Amino acid sequence: MMDNQDFTAANDPFALFQTWLTEAEKTEPADPEAMALATADADGLPNVRMILLKGADERGFVFYTNRGSAKGGELAANPKAALLFYWKSLGRQIRVAAVEPTTEAEADAYFATRHPQSRIGAWASQQSRPLESRAVLEEAVARYTDEFDGREVTRPDYWRGYRVRPVEIEFWQNGEYRLHDRVVFRRAALDGAWTKTRLNP
């Protein structure tokens, strides 16, 4: 495991993220790729929920959702977001702040990897909108199951991916007596160079 001295000496935030995620995959009991996604509506009211990371590289952090959902609507009205990864088993967290849609091809490729019933669910669920009863949802699942019987369950147009392209990434490591180690990477533009600053706990 990387010690705190190595972590604060790192110069590539994406490489450091991959190292920490790999370590979390060995220690977290469930869903090490879980992250909190914060968005805000057109009036600036924040909203946060737990989702799953579906891809990460030097371009950013990817997740998928129904663009008619609350988060989809908020990202359309105010295309900014923040992420938080927290791994209790390691005493670590990572904050990521900035968003752009993924390509249609990327969304198609990921959708094809989902379990067929999860793909049916994407068609059946009008995510975040009022639902009269569980029975109504189950009827929609049955209807789309029949509709796609014997053929590939394709991606609905409203189901898409988003890539959080960060302008800021902060790494936090728990320390004894609250003397935590913190390093933040910032860049002025998405194609700009990173600057690194060590922060007080």
Side-chain angles (χ1 to χ4, degrees):
M1 181 180 297
M2 178 180 290
D3 63 31
N4 290 353
Q5 183 177 3
D6 287 338
F7 130 63
T8 60
N11 291 312
D12 182 343
F14 293 115
L16 181 55
F17 172 83
Q18 291 294 348
T19 297
W20 279 23
L21 178 61
T22 298
E23 292 175 0
E25 289 169 347
K26 299 173 184 176
T27 61
E28 284 294 300
D31 297 329
E33 71 279 16
M35 59 186 181
L37 168 69
T39 55
D41 65 17
D43 295 322
L45 182 68
N47 199 355
V48 66
R49 76 287 284 162
M50 296 301 297
I51 63 172
L52 296 178
L53 175 72
K54 292 300 179 181
D57 56 26
E58 68 281 354
R59 296 174 298 166
F61 304 85
V62 176
F63 65 93
Y64 295 89
T65 191
N66 183 327
R67 65 183 175 192
S69 66
K71 56 185 170 294
E74 288 167 358
L75 288 169
N78 183 16
K80 297 179 181 178
L83 305 175
L84 174 67
F85 296 86
Y86 176 60
W87 298 303
K88 186 175 182 179
S89 64
L90 295 172
R92 289 174 174 172
Q93 62 179 329
I94 299 175
R95 296 190 307 114
V96 180
V99 89
E100 71 173 14
T102 62
T103 65
E104 296 292 313
E106 287 177 291
D108 287 339
Y110 172 69
F111 192 78
T113 69
R114 288 165 59 107
H115 189 282
Q117 285 303 115
S118 294
R119 285 180 264 164
I120 290 291
W123 281 94
S125 173
Q126 301 300 307
Q127 192 175 4
S128 298
R129 278 163 275 186
L131 178 64
E132 182 180 341
S133 67
R134 177 80 184 186
V136 171
L137 177 62
E138 292 173 351
E139 288 170 5
V141 170
R143 184 171 67 254
Y144 283 109
T145 298
D146 288 342
E147 182 176 326
F148 285 104
D149 185 35
R151 62 191 183 92
E152 184 71 13
V153 182
T154 56
R155 179 180 62 86
D157 288 341
Y158 52 77
W159 195 94
R160 67 165 314 139
Y162 295 87
R163 175 175 285 106
V164 177
R165 298 187 65 195
V167 292
E168 180 175 309
I169 308 177
E170 181 187 328
F171 295 83
W172 178 98
Q173 170 74 60
N174 182 57
E176 288 187 330
Y177 308 112
R178 300 186 180 275
L179 298 178
H180 314 307
D181 287 295
R182 298 173 62 191
V183 171
V184 62
F185 293 85
R186 296 187 178 100
R187 57 184 177 182
L190 292 175
D191 58 352
W194 292 102
T195 61
K196 182 179 71 172
T197 305
R198 183 158 187 163
L199 304 176
N200 273 282

